[in-house]
Structures are given as C-alpha cells and as structure tokens.
Coordinates of all heavy atoms in Angstrom, one line a residue:
M8 N 104.2 -6.2 -68.5 CA 104.2 -5.5 -69.8 C 104.6 -4.1 -69.6 O 105.3 -3.5 -70.4 CB 102.7 -5.6 -70.3 CG 102.6 -4.8 -71.6 SD 103.3 -5.7 -73.0 CE 102.5 -5.0 -74.3
K9 N 104.2 -3.5 -68.6 CA 104.5 -2.1 -68.2 C 106.0 -1.9 -68.1 O 106.6 -0.8 -68.7 CB 103.8 -1.6 -67.0 CG 103.6 -0.2 -66.9 CD 102.8 0.2 -65.6 CE 102.2 1.6 -65.9 NZ 101.3 2.0 -64.8
D10 N 106.7 -2.8 -67.6 CA 108.2 -2.7 -67.5 C 108.9 -2.7 -68.9 O 109.8 -2.1 -69.0 CB 108.7 -3.8 -66.7 CG 108.4 -3.7 -65.3 OD1 108.0 -2.7 -64.8 OD2 108.4 -4.8 -64.5
L11 N 108.3 -3.4 -69.8 CA 108.8 -3.4 -71.3 C 108.8 -2.0 -71.8 O 109.6 -1.7 -72.7 CB 108.0 -4.3 -72.1 CG 108.2 -5.8 -71.7 CD1 107.3 -6.7 -72.6 CD2 109.7 -6.3 -71.9
L12 N 107.8 -1.2 -71.4 CA 107.7 0.1 -72.1 C 108.6 1.2 -71.4 O 108.8 2.2 -72.0 CB 106.2 0.6 -72.0 CG 105.1 -0.3 -72.6 CD1 103.7 0.2 -72.3 CD2 105.4 -0.5 -74.1
N13 N 109.2 0.9 -70.3 CA 110.0 1.9 -69.6 C 111.1 2.3 -70.4 O 111.6 3.4 -70.3 CB 110.4 1.3 -68.3 CG 109.4 1.3 -67.3 OD1 108.3 2.0 -67.4 ND2 109.5 0.5 -66.2
D14 N 111.8 1.4 -71.2 CA 112.9 1.7 -72.0 C 112.6 2.3 -73.3 O 113.6 2.7 -74.1 CB 113.9 0.5 -72.1 CG 114.6 0.2 -70.8 OD1 114.8 1.1 -70.0 OD2 114.8 -1.0 -70.5
L15 N 111.4 2.5 -73.7 CA 111.1 3.1 -75.0 C 111.3 4.6 -74.8 O 110.8 5.1 -73.8 CB 109.6 2.8 -75.4 CG 109.3 1.4 -75.9 CD1 107.9 1.3 -76.1 CD2 110.3 1.1 -77.1
N16 N 112.0 5.2 -75.7 CA 112.3 6.6 -75.6 C 111.4 7.5 -76.6 O 111.6 7.2 -77.8 CB 113.7 6.8 -75.8 CG 114.3 8.2 -75.4 OD1 113.6 9.2 -75.6 ND2 115.4 8.2 -74.7
K17 N 110.8 8.4 -76.0 CA 109.9 9.3 -76.9 C 110.8 10.0 -78.0 O 110.3 10.3 -79.0 CB 109.2 10.3 -76.0 CG 107.9 9.8 -75.4 CD 107.1 10.9 -75.0 CE 105.6 10.6 -74.8 NZ 104.9 10.0 -75.8
A18 N 112.0 10.2 -77.7 CA 112.9 11.0 -78.7 C 113.0 10.2 -80.0 O 113.3 10.8 -81.1 CB 114.3 11.3 -78.1
F19 N 112.8 8.9 -79.9 CA 113.0 8.0 -81.2 C 111.6 7.5 -81.7 O 111.6 6.6 -82.5 CB 113.9 6.7 -80.8 CG 115.2 7.1 -80.1 CD1 115.5 6.6 -78.9 CD2 115.9 8.0 -80.6 CE1 116.7 6.9 -78.3 CE2 117.1 8.4 -80.0 CZ 117.5 7.9 -78.8
E20 N 110.5 8.0 -81.3 CA 109.2 7.6 -81.8 C 109.0 8.0 -83.3 O 108.4 7.3 -84.0 CB 108.1 8.1 -81.0 CG 107.9 7.4 -79.7 CD 106.7 7.9 -78.8 OE1 106.1 9.0 -79.2 OE2 106.5 7.4 -77.8
N21 N 109.6 9.1 -83.7 CA 109.4 9.6 -85.0 C 110.4 8.8 -86.0 O 111.5 8.5 -85.5 CB 109.8 11.0 -85.1 CG 109.7 11.6 -86.5 OD1 110.4 11.5 -87.3 ND2 108.5 12.3 -86.8
K22 N 109.9 8.4 -87.2 CA 110.8 7.5 -88.0 C 111.9 8.2 -88.5 O 113.0 7.6 -88.7 CB 109.9 7.0 -89.2 CG 109.5 8.0 -90.2 CD 108.7 7.4 -91.2 CE 108.3 8.4 -92.4 NZ 107.7 7.7 -93.5
V23 N 111.9 9.5 -88.6 CA 113.1 10.3 -89.1 C 114.2 10.3 -88.0 O 115.4 10.0 -88.3 CB 112.8 11.7 -89.5 CG1 114.1 12.5 -89.9 CG2 111.8 11.8 -90.6
R24 N 113.8 10.4 -86.7 CA 114.7 10.4 -85.6 C 115.2 9.1 -85.5 O 116.5 8.8 -85.2 CB 114.1 11.0 -84.3 CG 113.8 12.4 -84.4 CD 113.3 13.0 -83.1 NE 112.6 14.2 -83.3 CZ 111.7 14.6 -82.5 NH1 111.3 13.9 -81.5 NH2 111.2 15.7 -82.9
L25 N 114.4 8.0 -85.6 CA 114.9 6.6 -85.6 C 115.9 6.4 -86.6 O 117.0 5.8 -86.5 CB 113.6 5.7 -85.7 CG 113.9 4.3 -85.4 CD1 114.1 4.0 -83.8 CD2 112.6 3.4 -85.9
G26 N 115.6 6.8 -87.8 CA 116.6 6.7 -88.9 C 117.9 7.4 -88.8 O 119.0 6.9 -89.0
I27 N 117.8 8.6 -88.2 CA 119.1 9.4 -87.9 C 120.0 8.6 -87.0 O 121.1 8.4 -87.1 CB 118.7 10.8 -87.4 CG1 118.1 11.6 -88.4 CG2 120.0 11.5 -86.7 CD1 117.5 12.9 -87.9
M28 N 119.3 8.1 -85.9 CA 120.1 7.5 -84.8 C 120.6 6.1 -85.4 O 121.8 5.8 -85.0 CB 119.3 7.3 -83.6 CG 119.1 8.5 -82.8 SD 120.5 9.3 -82.4 CE 121.4 8.2 -81.2
A29 N 119.8 5.4 -86.1 CA 120.3 4.2 -86.7 C 121.5 4.4 -87.6 O 122.5 3.7 -87.6 CB 119.2 3.5 -87.5
A30 N 121.4 5.5 -88.4 CA 122.6 5.7 -89.2 C 123.8 6.2 -88.5 O 124.9 5.8 -88.8 CB 122.2 6.8 -90.3
L31 N 123.6 7.0 -87.5 CA 124.8 7.4 -86.7 C 125.4 6.4 -85.8 O 126.6 6.5 -85.5 CB 124.4 8.7 -85.9 CG 124.0 9.9 -86.7 CD1 123.6 11.2 -85.8 CD2 125.1 10.4 -87.7
V32 N 124.6 5.5 -85.3 CA 125.1 4.4 -84.4 C 126.1 3.5 -85.1 O 127.1 3.1 -84.6 CB 124.0 3.6 -83.7 CG1 124.4 2.4 -83.2 CG2 123.3 4.5 -82.7
V33 N 125.8 3.3 -86.5 CA 126.7 2.4 -87.3 C 127.8 3.2 -88.0 O 128.6 2.6 -88.7 CB 125.9 1.6 -88.2 CG1 125.0 0.7 -87.5 CG2 125.2 2.4 -89.2
N34 N 127.9 4.5 -88.0 CA 128.9 5.3 -88.6 C 129.5 6.2 -87.5 O 128.8 6.7 -86.6 CB 128.3 6.2 -89.7 CG 127.8 5.4 -90.9 OD1 128.6 4.9 -91.7 ND2 126.5 5.2 -91.0
E35 N 130.8 6.5 -87.8 CA 131.5 7.4 -86.7 C 130.8 8.8 -86.8 O 130.6 9.4 -85.8 CB 132.9 7.5 -87.2 CG 133.7 8.4 -86.1 CD 135.2 8.3 -86.6 OE1 135.7 7.5 -87.3 OE2 135.9 9.2 -86.0
Y36 N 130.5 9.2 -88.0 CA 129.8 10.5 -88.2 C 129.2 10.6 -89.6 O 129.7 9.8 -90.5 CB 130.7 11.6 -88.0 CG 131.8 11.8 -89.0 CD1 131.6 12.4 -90.2 CD2 133.0 11.3 -88.7 CE1 132.6 12.5 -91.2 CE2 134.1 11.3 -89.7 CZ 133.9 11.8 -90.9 OH 134.8 11.9 -91.9
L37 N 128.2 11.4 -89.9 CA 127.7 11.6 -91.2 C 127.5 13.2 -91.3 O 127.1 13.8 -90.3 CB 126.3 10.8 -91.4 CG 126.4 9.4 -91.6 CD1 125.1 8.6 -91.6 CD2 127.1 9.0 -92.8
D38 N 127.6 13.6 -92.5 CA 127.5 15.0 -92.7 C 125.9 15.2 -93.1 O 125.2 14.3 -93.3 CB 128.4 15.7 -93.8 CG 128.1 15.2 -95.2 OD1 127.1 14.6 -95.5 OD2 129.0 15.2 -96.0
F39 N 125.4 16.5 -93.1 CA 124.0 16.8 -93.2 C 123.5 16.2 -94.6 O 122.5 15.6 -94.6 CB 123.9 18.4 -93.2 CG 122.5 18.7 -93.3 CD1 121.7 18.9 -92.1 CD2 121.8 19.1 -94.4 CE1 120.4 19.3 -92.1 CE2 120.5 19.5 -94.4 CZ 119.7 19.6 -93.3
N40 N 124.2 16.5 -95.7 CA 123.7 16.0 -97.0 C 123.7 14.5 -97.1 O 122.8 14.0 -97.7 CB 124.6 16.6 -98.1 CG 124.4 18.1 -98.3 OD1 123.3 18.7 -98.0 ND2 125.4 18.8 -98.7
S41 N 124.6 13.8 -96.5 CA 124.6 12.4 -96.4 C 123.3 11.8 -95.8 O 122.6 10.9 -96.2 CB 125.8 11.7 -95.8 OG 126.9 12.0 -96.6
L42 N 123.1 12.4 -94.6 CA 121.8 12.1 -93.8 C 120.6 12.4 -94.7 O 119.7 11.6 -94.7 CB 121.8 12.8 -92.5 CG 122.6 12.2 -91.4 CD1 122.8 13.2 -90.2 CD2 122.1 10.9 -91.0
K43 N 120.5 13.5 -95.3 CA 119.3 13.9 -96.0 C 119.1 13.0 -97.2 O 118.0 12.6 -97.4 CB 119.6 15.4 -96.6 CG 118.4 15.9 -97.3 CD 118.6 17.4 -97.7 CE 119.2 17.4 -99.1 NZ 119.2 18.7 -99.7
E44 N 120.1 12.6 -97.9 CA 120.0 11.8 -99.0 C 119.6 10.3 -98.6 O 118.7 9.7 -99.1 CB 121.3 11.6 -99.7 CG 121.3 10.8 -101.0 CD 122.6 10.8 -101.7 OE1 123.2 11.9 -101.9 OE2 123.1 9.7 -102.2
L45 N 120.3 9.9 -97.4 CA 119.9 8.5 -96.9 C 118.5 8.4 -96.4 O 117.9 7.4 -96.7 CB 120.9 8.2 -95.7 CG 120.7 6.9 -95.0 CD1 121.1 5.8 -95.9 CD2 121.5 6.8 -93.8
L46 N 118.1 9.4 -95.8 CA 116.7 9.4 -95.3 C 115.6 9.9 -96.2 O 114.4 9.7 -95.9 CB 116.7 10.2 -94.0 CG 117.5 9.7 -92.8 CD1 117.6 10.6 -91.6 CD2 117.2 8.3 -92.4
G47 N 115.9 10.6 -97.2 CA 115.0 11.1 -98.2 C 114.1 12.2 -97.6 O 112.8 12.2 -97.8
V48 N 114.7 13.1 -96.9 CA 113.9 14.2 -96.2 C 114.3 15.5 -96.7 O 115.4 15.7 -97.2 CB 113.8 14.1 -94.7 CG1 113.2 12.8 -94.2 CG2 115.4 14.1 -94.2
T49 N 113.5 16.6 -96.5 CA 113.9 17.8 -96.9 C 115.0 18.5 -95.8 O 115.1 18.0 -94.7 CB 112.7 18.8 -96.8 OG1 112.2 18.9 -95.5 CG2 111.7 18.2 -97.8
D50 N 115.6 19.5 -96.2 CA 116.4 20.2 -95.4 C 115.8 20.6 -94.0 O 116.4 20.3 -93.0 CB 117.1 21.5 -96.0 CG 118.0 21.3 -97.2 OD1 118.3 20.0 -97.4 OD2 118.6 22.2 -97.7
G51 N 114.7 21.3 -94.1 CA 114.1 21.8 -92.9 C 113.6 20.6 -92.0 O 113.7 20.8 -90.8
N52 N 113.1 19.6 -92.6 CA 112.6 18.4 -91.8 C 113.8 17.8 -91.1 O 113.7 17.6 -89.9 CB 112.0 17.4 -92.7 CG 111.1 16.4 -91.9 OD1 111.2 16.3 -90.8 ND2 110.5 15.6 -92.8
L53 N 114.9 17.6 -91.7 CA 116.0 17.0 -91.1 C 116.7 17.8 -90.1 O 117.0 17.4 -89.0 CB 117.1 16.7 -92.2 CG 118.4 16.0 -91.7 CD1 118.1 14.7 -90.9 CD2 119.4 15.8 -92.8
A54 N 116.7 19.1 -90.3 CA 117.2 20.1 -89.4 C 116.5 20.1 -88.1 O 117.1 20.2 -87.0 CB 117.3 21.5 -90.1
S55 N 115.2 20.1 -88.3 CA 114.4 20.2 -87.0 C 114.5 18.9 -86.1 O 114.6 19.0 -84.9 CB 112.9 20.5 -87.3 OG 112.3 19.4 -87.9
H56 N 114.6 17.7 -86.8 CA 114.8 16.5 -86.1 C 116.2 16.4 -85.4 O 116.4 16.0 -84.3 CB 114.5 15.3 -86.9 CG 113.0 15.1 -87.2 ND1 112.1 14.9 -86.3 CD2 112.4 15.3 -88.4 CE1 111.0 14.8 -86.8 NE2 111.0 15.1 -88.0
L57 N 117.2 16.9 -86.2 CA 118.6 16.9 -85.6 C 118.6 17.9 -84.5 O 119.3 17.5 -83.4 CB 119.6 17.4 -86.7 CG 120.0 16.3 -87.7 CD1 120.6 16.8 -89.1 CD2 120.8 15.2 -87.1
K58 N 118.0 19.0 -84.4 CA 118.1 19.9 -83.4 C 117.4 19.4 -82.3 O 118.0 19.4 -81.1 CB 117.2 21.2 -83.8 CG 117.4 22.3 -82.7 CD 116.8 23.7 -83.2 CE 117.8 24.4 -84.0 NZ 119.0 24.8 -83.5
S59 N 116.4 18.6 -82.4 CA 115.7 17.9 -81.2 C 116.5 16.9 -80.6 O 116.7 16.8 -79.4 CB 114.4 17.2 -81.7 OG 113.9 16.4 -80.7
L60 N 117.2 16.0 -81.4 CA 118.3 15.1 -80.9 C 119.4 15.8 -80.2 O 119.9 15.2 -79.4 CB 118.6 14.2 -82.0 CG 117.5 13.1 -82.5 CD1 118.0 12.4 -83.7 CD2 117.2 12.2 -81.5
E61 N 119.8 16.9 -80.8 CA 121.0 17.6 -80.1 C 120.6 18.1 -78.8 O 121.5 18.1 -77.9 CB 121.4 18.7 -81.2 CG 122.6 19.4 -80.7 CD 122.9 20.7 -81.6 OE1 122.2 20.9 -82.6 OE2 123.9 21.4 -81.2
K62 N 119.3 18.6 -78.7 CA 118.9 19.3 -77.4 C 118.8 18.1 -76.4 O 119.0 18.4 -75.1 CB 117.4 19.7 -77.7 CG 117.1 20.9 -76.9 CD 115.7 21.4 -77.2 CE 115.5 22.9 -76.6 NZ 114.2 23.4 -77.1
S63 N 118.4 16.9 -76.8 CA 118.4 15.8 -75.9 C 119.7 15.2 -75.6 O 119.9 14.3 -74.9 CB 117.6 14.7 -76.5 OG 116.2 15.1 -76.7
E64 N 120.9 15.9 -76.2 CA 122.2 15.3 -76.1 C 122.5 14.0 -76.6 O 123.3 13.3 -76.1 CB 122.7 15.5 -74.6 CG 122.8 17.0 -74.2 CD 123.2 17.3 -72.8 OE1 123.5 16.3 -72.1 OE2 123.3 18.4 -72.5
F65 N 121.7 13.6 -77.6 CA 121.9 12.2 -78.2 C 122.8 12.4 -79.4 O 123.3 11.4 -79.9 CB 120.5 11.6 -78.6 CG 119.7 11.3 -77.4 CD1 118.3 11.2 -77.7 CD2 120.3 10.9 -76.2 CE1 117.5 10.8 -76.4 CE2 119.5 10.5 -75.1 CZ 118.1 10.6 -75.2
V66 N 122.9 13.5 -79.9 CA 123.7 13.8 -81.2 C 124.6 15.0 -80.9 O 124.2 16.0 -80.3 CB 122.7 14.1 -82.3 CG1 123.5 14.7 -83.5 CG2 122.0 12.9 -82.8
S67 N 125.9 14.9 -81.4 CA 126.8 16.0 -81.3 C 127.0 16.6 -82.7 O 126.8 15.8 -83.7 CB 128.2 15.6 -80.7 OG 128.8 14.6 -81.6
V68 N 127.4 17.9 -82.8 CA 127.5 18.6 -84.0 C 128.8 19.2 -84.2 O 129.4 19.7 -83.1 CB 126.5 19.8 -84.1 CG1 126.6 20.4 -85.5 CG2 125.0 19.2 -83.8
R69 N 129.5 19.1 -85.3 CA 130.8 19.7 -85.5 C 130.8 20.4 -86.9 O 130.5 19.8 -87.9 CB 132.0 18.6 -85.5 CG 133.2 19.3 -85.6 CD 134.4 18.3 -85.4 NE 134.6 17.5 -86.7 CZ 134.9 16.3 -86.8 NH1 135.2 15.6 -85.7 NH2 135.1 15.8 -88.0
K70 N 131.0 21.7 -86.8 CA 131.0 22.5 -88.1 C 132.4 22.8 -88.5 O 133.2 23.2 -87.7 CB 130.1 23.7 -87.9 CG 128.7 23.4 -87.6 CD 127.9 24.7 -87.4 CE 126.5 24.2 -87.1 NZ 125.6 25.2 -87.4
E71 N 132.6 22.7 -89.8 CA 133.9 23.0 -90.3 C 133.8 23.4 -91.8 O 132.6 23.5 -92.3 CB 134.8 21.7 -90.3 CG 134.3 20.5 -91.0 CD 135.1 19.3 -90.8 OE1 135.8 19.1 -89.7 OE2 135.1 18.4 -91.6
F72 N 134.8 23.8 -92.4 CA 134.8 24.2 -93.8 C 135.6 23.3 -94.7 O 136.8 23.0 -94.3 CB 135.4 25.7 -94.0 CG 134.3 26.7 -93.5 CD1 134.3 27.2 -92.2 CD2 133.3 27.2 -94.3 CE1 133.4 28.1 -91.8 CE2 132.4 28.2 -94.1 CZ 132.5 28.5 -92.6
L73 N 135.1 22.9 -95.8 CA 135.9 22.1 -96.7 C 135.8 22.8 -98.0 O 134.8 23.1 -98.7 CB 135.2 20.8 -97.0 CG 135.1 19.7 -95.8 CD1 134.4 18.6 -96.1 CD2 136.6 19.4 -95.4
N74 N 137.1 23.2 -98.5 CA 137.1 24.0 -99.7 C 136.2 25.3 -99.7 O 135.5 25.6 -100.6 CB 136.8 23.2 -101.0 CG 137.7 22.0 -101.1 OD1 138.9 22.1 -100.8 ND2 137.2 20.9 -101.5
R75 N 136.3 26.0 -98.6 CA 135.6 27.2 -98.4 C 134.0 27.0 -98.2 O 133.3 27.9 -98.3 CB 135.9 28.2 -99.4 CG 137.3 28.7 -99.4 CD 137.5 29.8 -100.4 NE 138.9 30.1 -100.3 CZ 139.2 31.5 -100.3 NH1 138.2 32.4 -100.4 NH2 140.4 31.9 -100.2
K76 N 133.6 25.7 -98.2 CA 132.1 25.5 -98.1 C 132.0 24.9 -96.6 O 132.6 24.0 -96.1 CB 131.7 24.5 -99.1 CG 131.8 25.0 -100.5 CD 131.3 24.0 -101.5 CE 131.3 24.5 -103.0 NZ 130.9 23.6 -104.0
P77 N 130.8 25.4 -96.1 CA 130.5 24.8 -94.7 C 130.1 23.4 -94.8 O 129.5 22.9 -95.7 CB 129.3 25.7 -94.2 CG 128.7 26.3 -95.5 CD 129.8 26.3 -96.5
N78 N 130.5 22.6 -93.8 CA 130.3 21.2 -93.8 C 130.0 20.8 -92.3 O 130.7 21.0 -91.4 CB 131.4 20.3 -94.2 CG 131.1 18.9 -94.3 OD1 130.9 18.3 -93.3 ND2 131.1 18.3 -95.5
T79 N 128.8 20.4 -92.1 CA 128.3 20.0 -90.7 C 128.2 18.5 -90.5 O 127.6 17.9 -91.3 CB 126.9 20.7 -90.4 OG1 126.9 22.1 -90.7 CG2 126.5 20.5 -89.0
K80 N 129.0 18.1 -89.5 CA 129.0 16.6 -89.3 C 128.3 16.3 -88.0 O 128.4 17.1 -87.0 CB 130.5 16.1 -89.1 CG 131.2 16.2 -90.4 CD 132.6 15.8 -90.3 CE 133.4 15.9 -91.7 NZ 134.7 15.4 -91.5
Y81 N 127.6 15.2 -88.0 CA 126.8 14.8 -86.8 C 127.3 13.4 -86.4 O 127.7 12.6 -87.2 CB 125.3 14.7 -87.2 CG 124.8 16.0 -87.5 CD1 124.7 16.5 -88.9 CD2 124.2 16.9 -86.5 CE1 124.2 17.7 -89.2 CE2 123.7 18.0 -86.8 CZ 123.8 18.5 -88.2 OH 123.3 19.7 -88.6
A82 N 127.3 13.1 -85.1 CA 127.7 11.8 -84.5 C 126.8 11.5 -83.3 O 126.3 12.5 -82.6 CB 129.2 12.0 -84.1
A83 N 126.7 10.3 -83.1 CA 125.8 9.9 -81.9 C 126.7 10.1 -80.7 O 127.9 9.7 -80.8 CB 125.3 8.5 -82.1
T84 N 126.2 10.6 -79.6 CA 127.0 10.7 -78.4 C 127.0 9.4 -77.6 O 126.1 8.5 -78.1 CB 126.5 11.8 -77.5 OG1 125.0 11.4 -77.2 CG2 126.4 13.2 -78.1
E85 N 127.7 9.3 -76.7 CA 127.7 8.0 -75.9 C 126.3 7.8 -75.2 O 125.8 6.8 -75.2 CB 128.8 7.9 -74.8 CG 128.9 6.6 -74.1 CD 129.3 5.4 -75.0 OE1 130.0 5.7 -76.1 OE2 128.8 4.4 -74.7
E86 N 125.7 8.9 -74.7 CA 124.4 8.9 -74.1 C 123.3 8.5 -75.1 O 122.4 7.7 -74.9 CB 124.1 10.3 -73.5 CG 122.8 10.5 -72.8 CD 122.6 11.8 -72.2 OE1 123.4 12.5 -72.2 OE2 121.3 12.0 -71.9
G87 N 123.5 9.0 -76.4 CA 122.6 8.7 -77.5 C 122.7 7.3 -77.8 O 121.6 6.6 -78.1
R88 N 123.8 6.7 -77.9 CA 124.1 5.2 -78.3 C 123.4 4.4 -77.1 O 122.8 3.4 -77.5 CB 125.6 4.9 -78.3 CG 126.3 5.6 -79.6 CD 127.7 5.2 -79.6 NE 128.3 6.0 -80.6 CZ 128.4 5.5 -81.9 NH1 127.9 4.4 -82.2 NH2 129.0 6.2 -82.8
I89 N 123.6 4.8 -75.9 CA 123.0 3.9 -74.9 C 121.5 4.0 -75.0 O 120.8 2.9 -74.9 CB 123.5 4.3 -73.6 CG1 125.0 4.1 -73.4 CG2 122.7 3.9 -72.3 CD1 125.7 4.7 -72.2
A90 N 120.9 5.3 -75.0 CA 119.5 5.4 -75.1 C 118.9 4.7 -76.2 O 117.8 4.0 -76.1 CB 119.2 6.9 -75.1
F91 N 119.6 4.8 -77.4 CA 119.0 4.1 -78.6 C 119.1 2.6 -78.5 O 118.2 1.9 -78.9 CB 119.9 4.6 -79.8 CG 119.3 4.1 -81.2 CD1 118.1 4.6 -81.6 CD2 120.0 3.1 -81.9 CE1 117.6 4.1 -82.9 CE2 119.5 2.6 -83.0 CZ 118.2 3.3 -83.6
S92 N 120.2 2.1 -77.9 CA 120.2 0.7 -77.7 C 119.2 0.1 -76.8 O 118.6 -0.9 -77.1 CB 121.6 0.3 -77.1 OG 121.8 -1.0 -76.9
K93 N 118.9 0.9 -75.7 CA 117.8 0.5 -74.8 C 116.4 0.5 -75.6 O 115.6 -0.3 -75.3 CB 117.8 1.5 -73.6 CG 118.8 1.2 -72.7 CD 118.6 2.2 -71.4 CE 119.6 1.9 -70.3 NZ 119.5 2.9 -69.1
H94 N 116.3 1.5 -76.4 CA 115.0 1.7 -77.2 C 114.8 0.4 -78.1 O 113.7 -0.2 -78.1 CB 115.1 2.9 -77.9 CG 113.8 3.2 -78.7 ND1 112.6 3.7 -78.2 CD2 113.5 3.1 -80.0 CE1 111.8 3.9 -79.0 NE2 112.2 3.5 -80.2
I95 N 115.9 0.1 -78.8 CA 115.8 -1.0 -79.7 C 115.6 -2.3 -78.9 O 114.7 -3.2 -79.4 CB 117.1 -1.1 -80.6 CG1 117.1 0.2 -81.5 CG2 117.1 -2.4 -81.4 CD1 115.9 0.4 -82.5
K96 N 116.2 -2.6 -77.8 CA 116.0 -3.8 -77.0 C 114.6 -3.8 -76.5 O 114.0 -4.9 -76.5 CB 117.1 -3.8 -75.9 CG 118.4 -4.2 -76.3 CD 119.5 -4.2 -75.3 CE 120.8 -4.6 -75.9 NZ 122.0 -4.3 -75.1
A97 N 114.1 -2.7 -76.1 CA 112.7 -2.7 -75.6 C 111.7 -3.0 -76.7 O 110.8 -3.9 -76.4 CB 112.4 -1.2 -75.1
I98 N 111.9 -2.7 -77.9 CA 111.1 -3.0 -79.1 C 111.2 -4.5 -79.3 O 110.2 -5.2 -79.5 CB 111.4 -2.2 -80.3 CG1 111.1 -0.8 -80.2 CG2 110.8 -2.9 -81.6 CD1 111.5 0.2 -81.3
E99 N 112.5 -5.0 -79.3 CA 112.7 -6.4 -79.4 C 112.0 -7.3 -78.5 O 111.5 -8.3 -78.7 CB 114.2 -6.7 -79.5 CG 114.9 -6.3 -80.7 CD 116.5 -6.4 -80.6 OE1 117.0 -6.7 -79.5 OE2 117.1 -6.1 -81.6
N100 N 112.0 -6.8 -77.2 CA 111.4 -7.5 -76.2 C 109.8 -7.5 -76.3 O 109.2 -8.4 -75.9 CB 111.8 -7.0 -74.8 CG 113.2 -7.3 -74.4 OD1 113.7 -8.4 -74.8 ND2 113.8 -6.6 -73.6
L101 N 109.3 -6.4 -76.8 CA 107.8 -6.3 -77.1 C 107.4 -7.2 -78.0 O 106.3 -7.9 -78.0 CB 107.5 -4.9 -77.4 CG 107.3 -3.9 -76.4 CD1 107.1 -2.5 -77.0 CD2 106.1 -4.2 -75.6
L102 N 108.4 -7.5 -79.0 CA 108.0 -8.5 -80.2 C 108.1 -9.9 -79.8 O 107.7 -10.8 -80.5 CB 108.8 -8.1 -81.4 CG 108.6 -6.7 -81.9 CD1 109.6 -6.4 -83.0 CD2 107.2 -6.5 -82.4
K103 N 108.7 -10.3 -78.7 CA 108.9 -11.7 -78.3 C 107.6 -12.2 -77.7 O 106.9 -11.6 -77.2 CB 110.0 -11.7 -77.3 CG 111.4 -11.6 -77.9 CD 112.4 -11.7 -76.8 CE 113.8 -11.4 -77.3 NZ 114.8 -11.4 -76.4

C-alpha cells in the first residue's frame, strides 16, 4: 500500500491545481482567461495556483500582446506531464 502512495504528488492535491494540469495536458496551451472560465475561479486564486505549478516547473508561461492587450499563455511542461501522469496512475491504482 505504501508503494502506491509514492507517486502521488503534493503539487496536485488541490482541486484547482489538478484542474489546471488536467486542462493543460489535453491542450497545447490555454490562456489565463480560458483557464479562469473553465475552472470557475477568481483571478487571484488562479494566479496563485499557476505560480505554484510554475515554481515546481510543471507549467511554462509565455506572455505576449494581442491587439495591444497582454495575453498570458500556459502550457504543461514535459516534467509536468510526466508527474501528472504518475499522479493519475497512482490514484487509479489506489482505486483498484
């Protein structure tokens, strides 16, 4: 049983972070407003969770301007995809 818990990642324990990673793993990238709308969270809440995932190097950030307006895009890094996949597999194994 203890071995099953080894691949659970604390970075994904929060439902917002779990949602962010789930959305980014199935999309090439998403911008801030798309993530906010998808997850139904506030700007500040989303920003703090994204910053945490970025600090863990699970999410990359690209800032650009579209029609003179700032647009921030987020993508799952390869490291983030691997860690998230391990986390989901660990949950699946726990449920078996």
Side-chain angles (χ1 to χ4, degrees):
M8 178 68 162
K9 205 172 196 179
D10 290 339
L11 292 175
L12 300 177
N13 288 340
D14 286 332
L15 289 176
N16 193 315
K17 281 201 160 295
F19 308 129
E20 283 182 355
N21 182 282
K22 70 178 184 176
V23 175
R24 290 185 201 153
L25 190 68
I27 290 168
M28 287 305 295
L31 293 178
V32 165
V33 298
N34 291 284
E35 185 178 341
Y36 65 85
L37 287 171
D38 64 26
F39 186 88
N40 288 329
S41 296
L42 278 169
K43 186 175 92 168
E44 186 178 312
L45 179 69
L46 300 171
V48 294
T49 63
D50 287 5
N52 195 356
L53 180 58
S55 67
H56 288 295
L57 284 166
K58 185 171 280 296
S59 174
L60 290 169
E61 182 184 0
K62 205 174 199 181
S63 299
E64 297 183 354
F65 293 153
V66 169
S67 65
V68 181
R69 190 172 80 214
K70 296 184 180 202
E71 57 189 26
F72 285 89
L73 294 176
N74 300 323
R75 296 182 175 229
K76 293 182 182 178
N78 185 292
T79 306
K80 293 181 179 177
Y81 298 90
T84 63
E85 188 61 32
E86 184 180 344
R88 289 176 185 276
I89 291 167
F91 187 71
S92 178
K93 283 183 180 179
H94 183 77
I95 295 302
K96 285 179 182 160
I98 291 171
E99 289 172 347
N100 287 333
L101 279 171
L102 295 174
K103 287 182 182 177

